[in-house]
Amino acid sequence: MESAPPWFTGQLLLALPGIGDPRFEHSVIAMISHDEEGAMGIGIADPIGGMTVGAVLDQLEIAHDADPLDQPVFLGGPVEPSRGFVLHSRDWGGEGAVQVGDRFMVSSSHDILRAIGEGRGPSRWLVALGYAGWSPGQLEEEMVRHGWHLTPGSDHLLFETPPAERWQAAFAEAGVDARLLTTEGGEA
């Protein structure tokens, strides 16, 4: 009996040491979609230096209060780095909001940015520019080559764990001590 392939939508991809692409070292990627047509995810562990959500709203001329918009903007991935995404809790649904599995939502319209600026947006959110994308079968091939570790992750990890701690904390949630990971193979 053939089984359906495992789809990773709504889970987290954690880069393994030695992934072979410096753009993804210590990456934590929230998987937005994954099916036979490919995969898309948004990085949530690499803040863009000096860029805040408040500064982005200023640039887009979206009114906002100062607090709490000093949150960082994340490098979501190398594809379309000028395209913005808001990964957020499921307690807000506006124009273009898409539920990702039963975990979280993603939005890319200015509607959510206006809601956040006015203090009527989702209770938990993060903003990222760009995304990571894989063609059909590419992510599965990278998994076979031990480039990534898949884990469900928690809402706490997504929205509350400090960015610099997300990679190690995500492994810890999965029962793995990231300090013990190596690129070297062993012998039995």
Side-chain angles (χ1 to χ4, degrees), residues 105-150:
M105 297 185 79
V106 66
S107 300
S108 60
S109 75
H110 286 191
D111 187 36
I112 190 167
L113 295 175
R114 281 189 287 277
I116 289 170
E118 294 169 3
R120 58 178 179 80
S123 60
R124 295 184 291 182
W125 50 268
L126 60 83
V127 175
L129 293 176
Y131 65 92
W134 293 267
S135 61
Q138 182 183 1
L139 179 56
E140 293 83 349
E141 172 66 26
E142 290 179 16
M143 297 288 290
V144 169
R145 289 194 327 251
H146 306 290
W148 299 100
H149 177 77
L150 185 68

Side-chain angles (χ1 to χ4, degrees), residues 24-93:
F24 292 108
E25 290 293 324
H26 294 106
S27 285
V28 178
I29 298 179
M31 293 303 296
I32 303 304
S33 66
H34 180 224
D35 59 25
E36 63 278 343
E37 296 179 18
M40 175 189 172
I42 297 174
I44 61 165
D46 188 11
I48 298 172
M51 185 178 287
T52 65
V53 173
V56 168
L57 295 184
D58 288 343
Q59 187 176 31
L60 296 171
E61 298 180 358
I62 295 175
H64 63 89
D65 295 327
D67 186 54
L69 301 178
D70 60 348
Q71 292 186 18
V73 173
F74 293 89
L75 178 59
V79 182
E80 293 189 61
S82 61
R83 185 172 174 193
F85 298 93
V86 180
L87 190 71
H88 58 91
S89 52
R90 296 185 311 160
D91 58 354
W92 185 91

Side-chain angles (χ1 to χ4, degrees), residues 12-16 27-29 147-151 166-167 170-171 174:
L12 299 180
L13 278 182
L14 310 177
L16 289 167
S27 285
V28 178
I29 298 179
W148 299 100
H149 177 77
L150 185 68
T151 182
R166 284 190 180 141
W167 183 77
F171 274 111

